């Protein structure tokens, strides 16, 4: 296989930070093994050719319970291109893009935030498994999840 990955980040202002990464992987088999179902030139299963991630964070100082804190909001976007599934590449998994969002308060000793994973409730497949009996098992990604998280630091 061959490919590349680049990442970058930039502090736009003292409160606003962005980052991103891009990856390309050309992963193909270079020999044939018919017993295993591998053919020269087939893509390695579950490996996207393209992937990228983008992130943005905004932090604003606030007062909470009479003390200093930061109000932090994070947005992330993750994309994976289509992927071959199974050694024989009998199935192609669609590309997908997931957006995550969180916001909350952080102090030196504790934090609390609300988060949404898979904000737009994208239906997507992360991988596929081919059983010896010929059945295909597709692993789906998580549905939208909304939650509240509390943390402590010591």
């Amino acid at each position: 296989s061959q490919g590349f990955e680049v990442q970058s980040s930039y502090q736009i202002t003292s409160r606003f930070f962005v980052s991103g990464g891009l990856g390309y992987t050309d992963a193909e088999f270079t020999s044939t093994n018919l017993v295993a179902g591998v053919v020269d030139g087939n893509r390695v299963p579950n490996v996207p050719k393209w992937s990228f991630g983008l992130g943005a964070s905004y932090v604003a100082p606030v007062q909470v319970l009479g003390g200093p804190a930061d109000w932090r909001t994070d947005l992330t976007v993750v994309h994976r291109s289509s992927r071959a599934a199974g050694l024989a590449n009998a199935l192609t998994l669609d590309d997908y893009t997931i957006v995550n969002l969180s916001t909350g308060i952080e102090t030196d000793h504790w934090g609390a935030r609300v988060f949404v994973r898979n904000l737009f409730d994208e239906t997507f497949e992360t991988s596929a498994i081919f059983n010896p009996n010929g059945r295909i098992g597709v692993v789906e990604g998580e549905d939208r999840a909304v939650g509240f998280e509390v943390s402590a630091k010591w």
Side-chain angles (χ1 to χ4, degrees), residues 7-92:
Q7 296 181 354
S8 183
S9 59
Y10 187 70
Q11 186 82 36
I12 294 176
T13 70
S14 62
R15 296 181 184 178
F16 188 51
F17 176 82
V18 294
S19 62
L22 172 69
Y24 173 79
T25 305
D26 184 17
E28 295 181 350
F29 291 107
T30 57
S31 63
T32 298
N33 180 334
L34 295 178
V35 174
V38 174
V39 176
D40 182 15
N42 278 8
R43 291 174 58 188
V44 174
N46 302 317
V47 178
K49 278 197 173 204
W50 291 99
S51 60
F52 73 78
L54 301 171
S57 297
Y58 184 80
V59 179
V62 294
Q63 290 288 317
V64 175
L65 303 173
D70 287 326
W71 187 278
R72 180 183 180 105
T73 301
D74 295 302
L75 175 73
T76 60
V77 178
V78 177
H79 176 81
R80 301 288 180 262
S81 67
S82 62
R83 286 109 39 236
L87 296 174
N89 291 181
L91 178 68
T92 299

Side-chain angles (χ1 to χ4, degrees), residues 56-58 71-76 99-106 112-117 119 147 149:
S57 297
Y58 184 80
W71 187 278
R72 180 183 180 105
T73 301
D74 295 302
L75 175 73
T76 60
V99 178
N100 303 309
L101 178 66
S102 68
T103 189
I105 295 172
E106 295 178 353
R113 69 181 182 113
V114 175
F115 63 86
V116 182
R117 294 187 192 113
L119 180 65
E149 180 178 84

Side-chain angles (χ1 to χ4, degrees), residues 95-111:
D95 65 324
Y96 65 90
T97 303
I98 301 299
V99 178
N100 303 309
L101 178 66
S102 68
T103 189
I105 295 172
E106 295 178 353
T107 72
D108 288 339
H109 303 289
W110 62 271

